[in-house]
Amino acid sequence: MTVQVRHITILGATGSIGTSTLDVISRHPEQYKVVALTGSSQIERLAKACIDHQPAYAVVLDEQAADRLQGMLADHAPDTCVLCGADALTRVATLPEVDTVMAAIVGSAGMPATLAAARAGKRVLLANKETLVLAGGLFMNAVRDSGAELLPIDSEHNAIYQVLPIAFREHPYRTSLAAAGISKLLLTASGGPFRTRSLDSLHRVTPEEAVRHPNWSMGQKISVDSASMMNKGLEVIEAHWLFNAPASQIQVVVHPQSVVHSMVEYQDGSVLAQLGSPDMRIPIAYGLAYPHRIETGVRPLNLFEVGRLDFEEPDLQRFPCLALAFAALESGGAATAVLNAANEIAVAAFLSGQIRFTDIPVLIEKTLSALPCLPADSIESLLAADGEARRVASQELATCTC
Ligand code: NDP
Ligand code: MG
């Protein structure tokens, strides 16, 4: 069998997902060719990845970083062309020689290039969930109109994708969950580091404690989102768009062991699940090789070591961010864009010691109440809602009323 070589751009190559993607690719050099890598602040790490993979392009955000990177590559990757700026991210996401784009920039900063990759009809490996939270309708329209191939990398959505009927998962908008015989999507959540911590001590938790996830090793922002369960809220919105699923058919199930990555309940009572070790190389490899399977280096799941699997209902008093995300999804319009932007401001403020952990949902709620119904009919209106939400949230922070 001749193997089709895939030509890849990795947006966010220096992050947790980017590094795991390069690890999987390194195991299959005959099947994957890296065409472009992007980074932001970790220039040395980007330089090392460029030297290892010799991409045609490397992208950073500003000229100063570009000069530094160019200097580091001069002797060991002289053929890598260094570009800078947001337009360069879009350029490498849409290069004609690229067929696959790993979208792994964190936050809404990743949205424009991810959307451009979808519009250009690429295979999009979607880790950047914020793209769907900010611009889900536009993004899914772009996928449909261009014939792009969309493979979810977030472990829960990847699990659901794996156990959905093929015709439905590849074209969820041609039909509905009900027509495909599905009654519910069951999204599992670890509950993060504060699942059992006493409620009245939550206002004292430190950024160091919040980023120490019990099961997964991830970037800082998503780790704080997991601790507040905003991550699961964002994932409910992500599932809504990916699988054409109304909020009423998405149920969050707390599962502290993070072994069952999510489930699909069918109308006949069957529940199909995908299980595995909590290691992002599994969903990444699934997306890279789809519809085939490749080796990942992940230690096989040992069920005897796992021993037991527990499931609980989420506690919305402990995790108000989850309720805020469901409410924003129900509100429609640009409410989820506002939720996302306010969350990004709140998480950054918590990580820099400006606010307490328990202030995160307060700040988000205040921002949502101040901006009740902004339109979501174009990329311009969504970016305006994102900007307006950042302005309102920053103002709340400055007056420190939360
Ligand atoms: P990291 O923080 O580890 O990495 C983020 C990447 O984005 C880095 O390459 C970073 O560059 C780059 N970046 C940061 N800010 C900007 C910007 N303004 N413009 C361009 N690039 C930027 O995040 P993760 O890898 O953990 O997460 C990436 C995405 O994947 C997120 O959307 C997250 O929600 C999602 N995800 C992550 C999972 C995980 O296990 N980590 C699981 C499921 C989803 P640099 O480091 O050089 O500054
Ligand atoms: Mg996830």
Side-chain angles (χ1 to χ4, degrees), residues 295-332:
E295 195 273 327
T296 57
V298 177
R299 197 167 152 248
L301 180 66
N302 183 331
L303 283 173
F304 301 117
E305 265 174 30
V306 175
R308 55 185 276 182
L309 300 174
D310 295 303
F311 301 98
E312 298 165 9
E313 246 184 88
D315 174 351
L316 294 183
Q317 195 193 346
R318 177 179 294 275
F319 297 117
C321 284
L322 182 57
L324 286 173
F326 267 106
L329 182 55
E330 292 292 346
S331 302

Side-chain angles (χ1 to χ4, degrees), residues 10-15 19 22 36-55 57-61 65-66 69-70 72-73 77 80 82-83:
I10 304 178
L11 303 170
T14 46
T19 305
L22 288 170
L37 296 175
T38 86
S40 166
S41 62
Q42 301 191 75
I43 305 303
E44 281 175 20
R45 188 179 270 227
L46 184 59
K48 170 148 190 350
C50 289
I51 292 165
D52 289 348
H53 295 272
Q54 300 286 318
Y57 301 92
V59 179
V60 286
L61 293 186
L69 182 63
Q70 191 95 60
M72 291 176 195
L73 299 186
T80 298
V82 177
L83 305 172

Side-chain angles (χ1 to χ4, degrees), residues 3 17 34 117 130 142 159 171 176 180 186-187 196 218 233 241 243 304 311-312 346 382 397:
V3 183
I17 293 286
V34 176
E130 293 90 349
H171 303 287
S176 64
L186 300 162
L187 213 54
T196 54
M218 307 182 285
W241 289 113
F243 306 122
F304 301 117
F311 301 98
E312 298 165 9
L382 286 163
L397 265 182

Side-chain angles (χ1 to χ4, degrees), residues 217-239:
S217 158
M218 307 182 285
Q220 281 206 323
K221 192 253 176 186
I222 184 175
S223 297
V224 176
D225 285 348
S226 297
S228 69
M229 275 191 91
M230 178 54 94
N231 183 49
K232 211 47 54 181
L234 301 180
E235 289 184 359
V236 168
I237 300 164
E238 188 183 5

Side-chain angles (χ1 to χ4, degrees), residues 127 129 153-157 187-188 216 218 222 226 231-232 235 238 261-262 280:
K129 61 190 84 182
I153 298 303
D154 211 348
S155 58
E156 297 77 3
H157 308 75
L187 213 54
T188 53
W216 296 93
M218 307 182 285
I222 184 175
S226 297
N231 183 49
K232 211 47 54 181
E235 289 184 359
E238 188 183 5
H261 295 308
S262 276
M280 288 305 293

